[in-house]
Amino acid sequence: MGPALGAGLVVLIACLPLLNISVPGLLPTPTYQPGAMAVMSLAMVFAALALSYNMLLGTAGMLSFGHALYFGAGAYGLGIILANTGLPLILAVVLSLIGGLAIAAVTGGIAMRVSGIPFAMVTLAFAQAGSVLVRRNSGVTGGEEGLSLTTDNVPSFLIGVVNTRNMYWITLAVLVVVYLVALWIDRSRLGHLARATRENELRVQVLGLQPNRAKLAIFVIAALCASLAGVTYMLLQSGTVPRAVSADLTITILVMVVLGGVGFRWGAIIGGVLYTILDQRLTFLAGSEAIASLPAVLRIPLSEPLFILGVLFILVVMFLPGGIAGTVDSLIRRRRLRAGRRADGAGTVSGGTEGLTALEADVAEGERPAETRPS
């Protein structure tokens, strides 16, 4: 049912611009109008970016603070190439992705010399360096003002509000491509090796395998997917700003992945979509008359979208430590475990065993308390 359900969901999402569906509070307009399609397109771009980051953190266990560098490389690369050459869009996109791939190979090869927190600090240093280069080279990147998209060689069906529907379908296609890449990584020998390295790198080395090569390969593939999301962002927004290469954006992506559930592909998508839509709609809500009429003790915090998102993130970490997808997966596993134990007759034992059965159902496999292990 997995592939069939996924294909059906993609078809349904693709049909939304053709339907008159209103979602008050989340979408500004019905789904067939440009306002809603623009918000949904942006949400899918960041969902693809969150998926690419989930390859690093969820599959390979690498905490990076510089993943936005490759997103910005795709966005700025496309903008610079179109502004300074007469190349057609397809060739400019390909060159932008090659540039992002090259940057990832160089920076990843250096960062892989260390692991853990030092690895995160090295990636942060690369992100800061990229941010400085973007801000200081205003003649090429536009500096603090950002870089606008030169549309001379962009097909007309991708330009303007009237063609928002076409960009919506392109962003959906990019999200599907990134998802298929993530699926391939998780099911391939490369993904198996990366997960084994995440759990016990020493054991992988003892087996004669090369964990660093697997980690570097996933690092580069994830960066390439992030560059593809950056290219799509540039086309969708008709421009980009220095935040696209900053560590601040990487932290935002990390929040998306944690919110959705680390290690779950559909969780990364849910986290990216939910965070983006909330960020867009809370900004609108913050300036509404309803918030302005509240007492100062409520108006001041509620007028800051980041405050509301921060509180939401804290609540998720406290009460849903596995994220949305992790919590759902845990509930399904517990239900299956309880059903299996009842089928084996565990529920028919009297003398207070119901509490023990519930306790065993609530703990993960391999984490059972010593008091409840069979002798």
Side-chain angles (χ1 to χ4, degrees):
M1 290 297 294
L5 180 62
L9 186 59
V10 170
V11 171
L12 175 61
I13 296 174
C15 292
L16 286 179
L18 306 176
L19 303 175
N20 185 4
I21 300 176
S22 298
V23 186
L26 292 182
L27 297 179
T29 63
T31 54
Y32 72 93
Q33 294 184 356
M37 286 187 287
V39 172
M40 292 187 293
S41 299
L42 186 63
M44 287 190 288
V45 168
F46 282 108
L49 184 57
L51 259 177
S52 68
Y53 191 83
N54 189 61
M55 295 183 205
L56 290 178
L57 186 60
T59 301
M62 294 184 287
L63 177 63
S64 171
F65 288 147
H67 196 60
L69 175 64
Y70 315 109
F71 177 80
Y76 273 99
L78 179 63
I80 292 172
I81 292 173
L82 289 178
N84 296 279
T85 68
L87 295 176
L89 177 63
I90 296 297
L91 187 55
V93 169
V94 172
L95 290 178
S96 301
L97 295 180
I98 292 175
L101 184 67
I103 294 173
V106 173
T107 57
I110 297 173
M112 287 296 168
R113 296 178 179 273
V114 293
S115 60
I117 299 301
F119 170 81
M121 293 299 100
V122 172
T123 58
L124 175 61
F126 281 126
Q128 293 297 94
S131 180
V132 170
L133 288 175
V134 167
R135 295 176 187 276
R136 296 293 178 86
N137 291 278
S138 58
V140 179
T141 63
E144 296 286 350
E145 299 298 324
L147 181 65
S148 299
L149 178 67
T150 303
T151 59
D152 295 342
N153 295 322
V154 178
S156 58
F157 65 86
L158 297 178
I159 302 174
V161 177
V162 295
N163 294 310
T164 306
R165 183 181 300 171
N166 297 330
M167 279 305 307
Y168 174 90
W169 285 327
I170 287 178
T171 56
L172 176 59
V174 168
L175 177 58
V176 171
V177 168
V178 175
Y179 180 87
L180 293 177
V181 171
L183 179 63
W184 170 74
I185 287 291
D186 286 341
R187 296 186 177 182
S188 67
R189 179 179 176 85
L190 177 63
H192 297 163
L193 180 56
R195 282 195 296 273
T197 302
R198 178 192 66 195
E199 300 298 333
N200 194 326
E201 184 171 351
L202 180 59
R203 179 175 295 181
V204 173
Q205 292 175 342
V206 169
L207 293 175
L209 301 174
Q210 309 246 344
N212 285 337
R213 290 185 180 180
K215 291 167 65 176
L216 179 59
I218 290 182
F219 185 93
V220 172
I221 293 172
L224 181 61
C225 291
S227 296
L228 179 60
V231 167
T232 311
Y233 177 84
M234 186 67 176
L235 291 173
L236 178 65
Q237 299 293 96
S238 297
T240 187
V241 293
R243 185 177 182 271
V245 297
S246 67
D248 177 53
L249 178 58
T250 301
I251 295 174
T252 300
I253 304 167
L254 175 61
V255 171
M256 294 177 184
V257 174
V258 173
L259 179 64
V262 178
F264 295 91
R265 292 182 298 273
W266 69 272
I269 295 175
I270 292 293
V273 169
L274 182 62
Y275 185 97
T276 304
I277 291 179
L278 286 177
D279 184 46
Q280 295 289 318
R281 300 308 296 160
L282 288 175
T283 302
F284 172 78
L285 179 64
S288 65
E289 295 181 0
I291 297 297
S293 62
L294 293 175
V297 67
L298 295 176
R299 184 183 68 252
I300 294 176
L302 292 180
S303 62
E304 296 292 338
L306 288 179
F307 173 83
I308 301 175
L309 288 172
V311 172
L312 175 62
F313 180 70
I314 292 172
L315 293 176
V316 169
V317 171
M318 289 180 61
F319 299 104
L320 303 176
I324 297 173
T327 301
V328 172
D329 181 73
S330 178
L331 292 174
I332 292 175
R333 289 178 179 272
R334 291 175 183 177
R335 186 172 181 177
R336 288 177 178 174
L337 182 58
R338 290 188 180 117
R341 292 189 178 279
R342 284 197 298 267
D344 292 338
T348 63
V349 180
S350 60
T353 59
E354 294 84 1
L356 179 58
T357 302
L359 175 62
E360 292 175 342
D362 288 340
V363 297
E365 183 178 356
E367 298 177 349
R368 188 175 302 170
E371 293 83 0
T372 65
R373 292 175 186 163
S375 58

